[in-house]
Amino acid sequence: MAVYPATPTGACSKRTGSKLAKRSARSRSKTKEGYPSLRSWTMAQVRSKNTKPEIAVRKAAHALGLRFRLHRKSLPGTPDLTFASKRIALFVHGCFWHRHDCDKATSPASNVEYWTAKFDRNVRRDARNATDLRKAGWRCVRIWECETKDAKKLAGILRRKIASKPKAL
């Protein structure tokens, strides 16, 4: 194993691909200085992958013995989990962004026209992706953020929607 001497801050190192270099680059990108406003920075922190609800679904699915692939870009909508042997594409939707009928799907009080249009686009895109997946021979399953809070209920939902055999059409 090669040992490289420590370099002063800002100097180049032979360890450019190291975890330390990647970690420091990541932490610099999360600072607020590079954004035009605090709101812009706040919105940039909203993740689309590896969210807490998605990780809860992944853990529950794995505990049930289900094996899956993550974020298949070759499918419409880039499903969060795909079960290729069953041809099931699973989406873990946030209640706020995808307008579930629960308490989390509140609407912002400011800039109402923008948010209404934004939510409508999200819902239309979800429907279009589900239709495209069905046309490609995939079954589309949606799990809502509010359904991921209780692990036992989530396991039951996954068992019912994924592990069981689909009904004949």
Side-chain angles (χ1 to χ4, degrees):
M1 181 167 128
V3 177
Y4 297 103
T7 57
T9 308
C12 292
S13 166
K14 290 184 180 181
R15 299 180 64 197
T16 55
S18 72
K19 288 181 183 178
L20 180 62
K22 289 178 184 176
R23 192 178 315 124
S24 62
R26 235 190 334 249
S27 63
R28 276 195 310 268
S29 67
K30 293 201 181 237
T31 61
K32 298 176 189 176
E33 288 83 27
Y35 290 92
S37 69
L38 178 62
R39 178 171 287 199
S40 178
W41 179 82
T42 303
M43 293 305 292
Q45 302 310 301
V46 177
R47 296 184 302 184
S48 62
K49 295 180 182 177
N50 303 321
T51 61
K52 286 182 184 180
E54 182 185 328
I55 290 171
V57 170
R58 286 165 25 186
K59 284 181 180 180
H62 199 271
L64 290 173
L66 300 169
R67 299 301 177 252
F68 48 85
R69 296 281 179 238
L70 299 175
H71 313 295
R72 267 183 73 176
K73 293 179 184 175
S74 61
L75 292 175
T78 312
D80 296 313
L81 283 75
T82 53
F83 303 89
S85 62
K86 299 174 182 279
R87 298 210 32 104
I88 295 174
L90 186 141
F91 292 92
V92 181
H93 281 327
C95 298
F96 175 78
W97 294 106
H98 298 273
R99 308 318 289 163
H100 188 223
D101 294 327
C102 72
D103 295 339
K104 289 184 176 270
T106 59
S107 295
S110 64
N111 208 357
V112 175
E113 297 84 21
Y114 167 80
W115 286 108
T116 304
K118 168 72 175 159
F119 294 143
D120 288 343
R121 285 192 311 269
N122 288 353
V123 170
R124 281 196 311 268
R125 184 183 65 237
D126 293 341
R128 185 177 59 246
N129 289 335
T131 302
D132 292 345
L133 282 165
R134 278 196 231 50
K135 286 180 183 176
W138 287 78
R139 189 160 61 105
C140 185
V141 173
R142 180 179 302 143
I143 293 186
W144 294 100
E145 175 185 6
C146 61
E147 296 173 330
T148 65
K149 299 301 177 195
D150 184 7
K152 287 185 180 180
K153 286 183 183 178
L154 179 59
I157 291 168
L158 285 172
R159 221 178 271 115
R160 190 174 65 250
K161 291 184 175 183
I162 307 292
S164 64
K165 297 206 181 233
K167 299 174 186 172
L169 298 176

